[in-house]
């Protein structure tokens, strides 16, 4: 509790949000820039289906870092120099990617196996070398572990500047080569046929990924750095069907994740920034998955629900209409209507009554149902559409009269109105207000087949 | 071109203005020949259907002509010159299954890809490109779907999108890989009339085809292929039961066994 209290004490929170602390400002801006660039580059990486290669690449950097450290200390150089360590990471990452390519192309291994082998072997080698390094010079080697899980606290102005510069360059390249990268991701064979050097663009893409991974090592660590490439891009896909907008949204999500994650970790110093950034991105992903405009689950469920309601409404209207047509009465008892009287039906009738399509009056223990004027019109339209389809299916698709009711039912609710006009033309029924049912109406079953 | 004889091996009688002329071309996957010593001169303005059993090398022939798969030997010329300097004159329609249709692009985006070569590096798609793409879409009857995402199209509409991407290029030679595969009747009609239109404009079209029944209706030339060229010529002359029997009748089983044995010997040895 004291920890929590101290967290919200003495304007610390305000200080963090306003970025008035120099160190916080450096870290937040650096990680935000990394997030934006990671989102943009990650979008292309995902579209080219290279996400796992990016993961293998990031894990493969570890032996390079450890090796660079060992070499530098043997040669008497400043072993903690970041330049040397990042160079080591770059070389090892490149070696990892080349090994994967070689295994899949020349040794004809499946890509997932090759990726698994390279990822684990390189990481294992890195862990072993790290152990060696720590044995020899325990004090200074401790900083190396920061590369595994990230340690923003050790981030300096020049680190943030490196991230910033890398972000600007990678985003610039993505914009400049947008149409070529998109073509290579979409249809590599065609691109090659048209004379585009797809291998060069694939290499360029891997170089961009590598750049993000290497500068991201310090911020989020090599285990989690893949997240800033994959998650924003995957989340963005739920919001748009356009490549350009996907890049834009992925960049925005990545940047927001970097910003919020680092601030969260600055508020509670016990929480590592890398983990907080990834968790924030995970949150964005879940929101996108559920509410995404294009493919979000919640939207899909909502649309499905709306469709189901529409179908219930059509079924109820048609059942009542056909019952009245059959009896010739102006109204009918609830029990006369063909469909099963379940909870859903009662609710539908209730809904239609509230919508002003039905009038329900209690009469001698049972309810009498009649159409309002508007309800009559709506129901006639629904029945007419259903029968048009029935006639069409019997004439053109060899449906017999026992199955045509259900066949038409599967079609009629979801189709656009333009199609209905074509249907009328096809059947010469443009002027017909109503058609006879092509099959015997069985009031006890009509409309009930679908529940 | 001063003397065509100097650019080709002696003894070859390939016409320099043939849209596609293939000389002694062999293509192998993993040392197993898929196409063996192919010699072919496609006449200008021809509408050629390539038929043959599965694994006969139909798609490979087109891909090898476009330098998409490596040739073991032989060479290909497009209008008398190597393909690499004639790319603009050749339009390629790949198999529909070759791409991921969930990709976030619109129909118009895809058609514009056919004109990327007219734009420099770093230049985005502009209004002129979009206008031409819309015209190509109108030709295949898809202009109303221009702004749809490609996953929302039917198989036939997807195929027409690919055709529009080829049309927009205004090439003289069209290479199509199974343009009729899995399309609806309306699309089939559209493609057929498109092929005729292209022919009336003087274009040459070569299409891999699966449905033997429609070959005489759709194509004036036919290439019967099964690793080797079984027959090539005017459809009314070479599309005969005897040639079909030779193409599909398994006459090449010995050759097949030999090449499988060859592949077995070298399996597992890295190249």
């Amino acid at each position: 509790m004291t920890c929590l209290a101290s967290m919200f004490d003495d304007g610390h929170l305000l200080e963090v949000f306003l970025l008035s602390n120099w160190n916080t400002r450096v870290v937040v801006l650096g990680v935000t820039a990394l997030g934006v660039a990671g989102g943009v580059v990650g979008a292309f990486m995902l579209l080219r289906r290279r996400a796992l290669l990016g993961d293998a690449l990031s894990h493969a950097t570890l032996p390079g870092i450890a090796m660079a450290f060992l070499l530098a200390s043997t040669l008497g150089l400043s072993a903690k120099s970041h330049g040397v360590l990042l160079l080591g990471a770059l070389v090892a990452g490149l070696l990892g990617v080349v090994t994967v390519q070689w295994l899949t192309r020349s040794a004809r291994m499946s890509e997932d196996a090759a990726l698994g082998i390279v990822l684990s072997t390189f990481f294992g080698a890195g862990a072993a070398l790290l152990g060696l390094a720590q044995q020899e010079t325990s004090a200074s080697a401790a900083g190396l572990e920061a590369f595994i899980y990230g340690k923003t606290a050790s981030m300096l102005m020049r680190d943030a500047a490196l991230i910033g510069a890398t972000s600007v360059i990678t985003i610039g390249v993505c914009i400049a080569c947008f149409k070529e990268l998109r073509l290579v991701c979409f249809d590599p064979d065609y691109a090659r046929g048209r004379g585009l050097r797809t291998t060069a663009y694939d290499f360029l893409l891997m170089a961009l990924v590598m750049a993000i991974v290497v500068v991201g090592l310090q911020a989020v660590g090599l285990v989690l750095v893949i997240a800033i490439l994959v998650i924003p891009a995957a989340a963005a896909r739920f919001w748009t069907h356009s490549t350009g907008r996907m890049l834009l949204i992925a960049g925005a999500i990545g940047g927001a994740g970097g910003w919020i994650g680092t601030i969260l970790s600055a508020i509670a110093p016990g929480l590592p920034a890398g983990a907080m950034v990834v968790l924030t991105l995970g949150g964005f992903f879940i929101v996108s998955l559920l509410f995404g405009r294009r493919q979000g689950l919640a939207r899909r469920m909502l649309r499905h629900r709306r469709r189901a309601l529409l179908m219930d409404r059509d079924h109820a209207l048609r059942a009542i209409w056909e019952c009245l047509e059959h009896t010739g009465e102006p109204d009918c008892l609830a029990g006369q209507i063909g469909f099963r009287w379940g909870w859903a039906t009662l609710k539908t009738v209730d809904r239609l009554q509230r919508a002003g399509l039905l009038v329900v009056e209690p009469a001698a223990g049972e309810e009498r149902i009649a159409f309002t004027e508007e309800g009559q019109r709506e129901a006639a339209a629904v029945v007419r559409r259903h029968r048009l389809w029935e006639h069409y299916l019997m004439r053109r698709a060899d449906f017999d009269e026992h199955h045509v009711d259900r066949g038409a039912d599967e079609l009629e609710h979801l189709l656009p109105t333009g199609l209905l006009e074509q249907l009328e033309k096809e059947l010469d029924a443009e002027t017909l207000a109503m058609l006879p049912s092509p099959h015997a109406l069985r009031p006890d079953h009509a409309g009930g087949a679908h529940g | 071109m001063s003397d065509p004889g100097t650019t080709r091996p002696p003894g070859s009688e390939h016409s320099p203005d043939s849209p596609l002329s293939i000389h002694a071309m062999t293509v192998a996957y993993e040392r197993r020949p898929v196409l063996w010593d192919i010699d072919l001169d496609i006449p200008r303005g021809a509408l050629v259907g390539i038929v043959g059993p599965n694994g006969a090398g139909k798609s490979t022939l087109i891909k090898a002509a476009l330098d998409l798969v490596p040739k073991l030997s032989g060479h290909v010329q497009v209008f008398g010159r190597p393909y690499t300097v004639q790319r603009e004159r050749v339009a390629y329609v790949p198999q529909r299954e070759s791409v991921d249709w969930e990709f976030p692009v619109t129909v118009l985006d895809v058609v514009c890809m056919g004109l990327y070569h007219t734009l420099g590096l770093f230049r985005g798609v502009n209004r002129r490109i979009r206008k031409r793409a819309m015209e190509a879409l109108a030709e295949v009857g898809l202009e109303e779907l221009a702004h749809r995402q490609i996953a929302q199209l039917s198989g036939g509409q997807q195929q027409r999108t690919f055709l529009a991407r080829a049309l927009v290029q205004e090439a003289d030679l069209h290479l199509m890989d199974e343009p009729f595969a899995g399309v609806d009747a309306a699309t089939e009609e559209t493609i057929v009339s498109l092929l005729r239109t292209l022919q009336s404009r003087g274009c040459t079209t070569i299409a891999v085809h699966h449905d033997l029944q429609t070959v005489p209706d759709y194509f004036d030339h036919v290439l019967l292929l099964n690793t080797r060229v079984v027959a090539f010529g005017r459809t009314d002359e070479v599309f005969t039961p005897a040639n079909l029997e030779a193409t599909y009748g398994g006459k090449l089983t010995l050759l097949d066994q030999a090449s499988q044995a060859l592949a077995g010997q070298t399996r597992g040895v890295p190249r």
Side-chain angles (χ1 to χ4, degrees):
Chain A
M1 275 322 282
T2 49
C3 165
L4 269 182
S6 72
M7 254 170 58
F8 299 108
D9 232 18
D10 57 328
H12 177 59
L13 211 60
L14 199 69
E15 196 184 305
V16 169
F17 275 113
L18 294 180
L19 303 181
S20 52
N21 179 306
W22 170 253
N23 272 335
T24 319
R25 195 185 307 170
V26 166
V27 172
V28 169
L29 290 182
V31 179
T32 304
L34 180 71
V36 175
V40 173
V41 171
F44 277 127
M45 184 187 76
L46 222 59
L47 290 174
R48 189 73 182 96
R49 297 174 182 272
R50 291 279 194 269
L52 280 172
L53 194 59
D55 196 28
L57 193 160
S58 65
H59 280 78
T61 55
L62 187 58
I65 296 166
M67 197 64 130
F69 176 81
L70 283 172
L71 269 178
S73 52
T74 332
L75 294 174
L77 297 169
S78 160
K80 287 214 71 179
S81 153
H82 259 109
V84 174
L85 298 181
L86 292 188
L87 194 70
L90 202 69
V91 171
L94 198 66
L95 199 65
V97 171
V98 170
T99 313
V100 170
Q101 303 279 3
W102 180 79
L103 283 175
T104 48
R105 294 217 178 129
S106 301
R108 273 185 271 149
M109 288 188 68
S110 69
E111 193 174 28
D112 55 345
L115 287 167
I117 289 168
V118 168
L119 188 152
S120 52
T121 313
F122 273 69
F123 192 71
L129 286 171
L130 208 61
L132 272 182
Q134 268 164 331
Q135 241 175 15
E136 281 188 8
T137 47
S138 53
S140 51
L144 288 188
E145 282 186 340
F147 286 104
I148 299 181
Y149 296 114
K151 196 172 180 192
T152 44
S154 66
M155 213 155 119
L156 302 173
M157 183 55 206
R158 55 148 212 252
D159 301 323
L162 177 67
I163 292 180
T166 310
S167 305
V168 170
I169 293 170
T170 49
I171 293 170
V173 171
C174 285
I175 294 171
C177 303
F178 175 75
K179 72 178 193 302
E180 285 80 13
L181 283 171
R182 177 168 74 178
L183 181 55
V184 169
C185 292
F186 174 61
D187 198 347
D189 261 5
Y190 175 84
R192 211 144 51 89
R194 298 305 313 279
L196 214 61
R197 298 185 17 194
T198 48
T199 325
Y201 282 101
D202 270 340
F203 185 80
L204 176 69
L205 184 56
M206 278 332 287
L208 293 174
V209 169
M210 183 112 62
I212 299 290
V213 165
V214 169
V215 301
L217 286 177
Q218 199 187 8
V220 284
L222 60 89
V223 177
L224 296 180
V225 73
I226 191 67
I228 61 164
L229 285 160
V230 170
I231 301 181
R237 189 64 189 85
F238 285 104
W239 295 99
T240 179
H241 282 326
S242 132
T243 322
R245 252 171 273 150
M246 181 174 163
L247 255 62
L248 219 67
I249 296 169
I253 291 178
W259 181 280
I260 297 171
T262 347
I263 282 184
L264 285 178
S265 112
I267 292 172
L271 302 174
M276 292 321 288
V277 170
V278 173
L279 286 176
T280 313
L281 290 175
F284 278 123
F285 177 77
I286 291 171
V287 170
S288 307
L289 174 73
L290 289 175
F291 303 107
R293 214 156 63 85
R294 295 295 176 174
Q295 300 180 331
L297 280 180
R299 289 196 184 252
R300 247 187 282 178
M301 270 159 63
L302 203 69
R303 199 165 52 217
H304 188 80
R305 171 94 189 114
R306 235 182 263 142
R307 225 176 253 182
L309 283 177
L310 183 76
M311 284 174 76
D312 285 347
R313 165 188 178 274
D314 285 3
H315 288 154
L317 287 177
R318 182 152 61 86
I320 296 167
W321 203 93
E322 287 183 340
C323 175
L324 297 181
E325 184 187 44
H326 185 69
T327 58
E329 306 268 335
D331 59 2
C332 62
L333 288 171
Q336 285 176 286
I337 303 168
F339 50 52
R340 288 188 302 266
W341 281 104
W343 168 242
T345 322
L346 284 172
K347 269 176 71 176
T348 306
V349 170
D350 196 42
R351 209 153 46 83
L352 292 175
Q353 187 186 3
R354 267 183 287 130
L357 297 179
L358 291 181
V359 188
V360 183
E361 278 172 11
E366 221 180 342
E367 290 179 328
R368 295 199 76 83
I369 301 177
F371 284 121
T372 63
E373 205 170 305
E374 194 191 343
Q376 179 81 22
R377 249 197 331 271
E378 279 291 311
V382 167
V383 174
R384 180 167 181 275
R385 192 178 59 191
H386 177 73
R387 290 184 181 170
L388 278 168
W389 279 113
E390 283 186 327
H391 281 280
Y392 177 78
L393 289 177
M394 286 177 75
R395 235 186 268 176
R396 302 290 149 108
D398 283 333
F399 269 78
D400 65 38
E401 57 183 71
H402 303 296
H403 296 101
V404 72
D405 182 59
R406 173 169 273 199
D409 192 57
E410 275 163 14
L411 287 173
E412 63 190 24
H413 306 285
L414 310 172
L415 294 170
T417 42
L419 213 56
L420 193 68
E421 284 163 22
Q422 284 180 34
L423 185 63
E424 286 174 340
K425 229 185 221 163
E426 178 97 16
L427 295 169
D428 295 318
E430 286 120 311
T431 52
L432 287 180
M434 183 51 71
L435 297 85
S437 177
H439 55 83
L441 284 178
R442 294 170 299 170
D444 51 327
H445 282 104
H450 10 67
Chain B
M1 185 101 71
S2 52
D3 177 16
T6 57
T7 60
R8 269 185 298 276
S12 77
E13 288 161 26
H14 296 282
S15 113
D17 55 52
S18 162
L20 182 68
S21 106
I22 298 174
H23 180 74
M25 182 177 80
T26 298
V27 178
Y29 289 138
E30 313 293 353
R31 300 205 177 180
R32 190 180 164 183
V34 181
L35 291 171
W36 200 342
D37 202 21
I38 303 289
D39 264 288
L40 203 61
D41 270 311
I42 305 289
R44 196 178 272 252
L47 188 46
V48 185
I50 306 180
V51 296
N54 283 331
K58 304 185 293 286
S59 295
T60 307
L61 184 83
I62 285 184
K63 286 187 178 164
L66 294 166
D67 278 340
L68 291 178
V69 295
K71 292 183 268 293
L72 218 56
S73 62
H75 66 259
V76 173
Q77 295 209 311
V78 176
F79 296 103
R81 300 173 67 197
Y83 172 64
T84 41
V85 297
Q86 297 279 49
R87 288 184 203 279
E88 266 69 88
R89 300 182 70 179
V90 185
Y92 172 44
V93 180
Q95 271 183 36
R96 188 159 53 86
E97 292 81 36
S98 65
V99 303
D100 171 18
W101 290 92
E102 291 292 329
F103 200 92
V105 284
T106 63
V107 174
L108 187 63
D109 289 335
V110 173
V111 179
C112 288
M113 289 172 185
L115 289 171
Y116 278 4
H117 64 281
T118 67
L119 291 163
L121 195 62
F122 311 139
R123 292 268 313 279
V125 171
N126 55 33
R127 193 180 295 166
R128 175 181 63 88
I129 301 281
R130 281 199 201 91
K131 187 167 166 285
R132 281 179 64 185
M134 284 306 285
E135 286 163 12
L137 278 171
E139 272 197 82
V140 298
L142 279 187
E143 68 270 47
E144 282 173 18
L145 302 181
H147 299 288
R148 283 263 184 102
Q149 199 256 331
I150 51 172
Q152 297 165 359
L153 302 180
S154 71
Q157 289 165 342
Q158 290 175 346
Q159 190 65 59
R160 280 190 263 168
T161 306
F162 266 4
L163 283 169
R165 182 175 69 173
L167 280 181
V168 78
Q169 209 182 315
E170 292 177 354
D172 313 304
L173 172 62
H174 289 77
L175 301 178
M176 307 183 177
D177 203 344
E178 307 236 8
F180 293 103
V183 303
D184 51 289
T187 300
E188 186 143 355
E189 259 173 57
T190 314
I191 300 177
V192 170
S193 72
L194 202 68
L195 293 181
R196 303 252 155 85
T197 314
L198 285 173
Q199 193 172 29
S200 69
R201 287 179 198 161
C203 297
T204 311
T205 304
I206 303 168
V208 174
H209 197 55
H210 247 139
D211 182 14
L212 290 179
Q213 301 217 311
T214 50
V215 167
D217 294 336
Y218 292 176
F219 301 103
D220 56 24
H221 281 68
V222 66
L223 168 62
L224 294 146
L225 190 73
N226 191 350
T227 311
R228 304 269 299 125
V229 174
V230 178
F232 174 67
R234 297 195 55 83
T235 308
D236 47 10
E237 286 163 16
V238 301
F239 197 65
T240 59
N243 278 338
L244 282 171
E245 168 66 24
T247 311
Y248 289 87
K251 288 256 171 81
L252 293 172
T253 45
L254 272 183
L255 175 63
D256 204 42
Q257 279 173 21
S259 56
Q260 261 182 16
L262 212 63
Q265 277 171 19
T266 57
R267 186 166 296 144
V269 180
R271 281 167 294 166

